[in-house]
Amino acid sequence: MVLDRYILRLWLGPFAGGLAVVLGVLMLARALKLLGEAEAAHAWLLILQLLILTMPFFLLVTVPMAFFLSAQNTIINLQQNSEMDAMRASGVSYTRMLRPLLIAAILIWGGLTYVSMAWMPKSQLDFNNVLLKVYEMKGAISFSPQRFTEGAGSITVYVKGQDKQGVYHGIMLEDRRSETPVFYVAQDAEFLPSANSLQLRMRHGTRLEGQQADQRMLAFDEYVVSLPLESVRFSKQTMSDHVTLMPPAMLWQTMQNRHDAESVAEWNRRLILPTTVLVLFLFALPLSLSPKRSGKAGSLITGIALVVAVYNVELLFQQKVMLGTLPGWTMWATQLAFVLLGVDLWRRAEADRLPKLLTQSGEWFYLLHQLIMQRLSRRAGAGRD
């Protein structure tokens, strides 16, 4: 128990500090993005609510990362101070030394599973509805890409995507304010707020009006439609509107009834994201054992590269499953592959048979650092001469 408490103390400080820093940076970036929406003083409270509602997703991303890097920092410190060598000489295995970190990883996995399955979809739903209030205060509307957004019984909008300049691409608008519906299809469009209306400026598209023999079609390079704000005040979203907003029971039922790729991908995503902390734990020891003179830099850089690789592989396979290109079980196959690799490397570390590619990575960064410092010192000396 003394050893467990000691290891936990070494790990907890860097974990809390690293989590606070990374979470703070992400929250600041999101705050700066949302501040552009708060043009009225009374919208600031809504912006604060939006920041709080982003917490579940940020926790799912940052907690495994902070846990892994702080675990690496703990192991590297134990090795650099020869404490790990002394414990190994006393018959204590790596697995026994790091048992408290394994218990912490399991507890974190349980907490993140609750966040992913229950807290995150509710927060996403609340986020969308609070953001709608902010847009209504501005007299502007934002649309979710690749989804049909219905207005107050008279307007339906579909956009394929939106770029950083706020221009929508691949837009379709159905206007049912008159007896004869009018359809607009355009390559891109901008929504410009005015006093009591929203100006839709479309470029390179087609206007369709009427049906069958009475249908009229007009091709245009630019076309402007004026939409009263009351017609584009969209109703609040509900949990049944999209799979990302559904609670676990509803999402499971939807997946069983529809068997669509989107609900399958979302269900597996919610379960897989929390397991990242367990996957990364298996790599903490193998990626941290390097020659003592190498310092921390090489091992931490290798660890960061692993974190980036794991998250990108998870995202890649989620997108493939969502598009129906791959079945849902492939998302778990990749996690299993990481687990098997991590277990194998851990066993090799216990037997002191780690691949040189891992043990020497820190040494390479150390030698590269020394080479750079030598060249800089030579240039500085030549400049003084």
Side-chain angles (χ1 to χ4, degrees), residues 373-385:
M373 295 302 296
Q374 288 177 7
R375 290 190 176 182
L376 290 176
S377 62
R378 288 175 185 173
R379 289 184 180 181
R384 288 194 296 269
D385 295 339

Side-chain angles (χ1 to χ4, degrees), residues 253-264:
Q253 192 64 37
T254 301
M255 184 176 64
Q256 297 300 312
N257 293 338
R258 293 178 4 194
H259 299 286
D260 65 308
E262 194 173 23
S263 59
V264 171

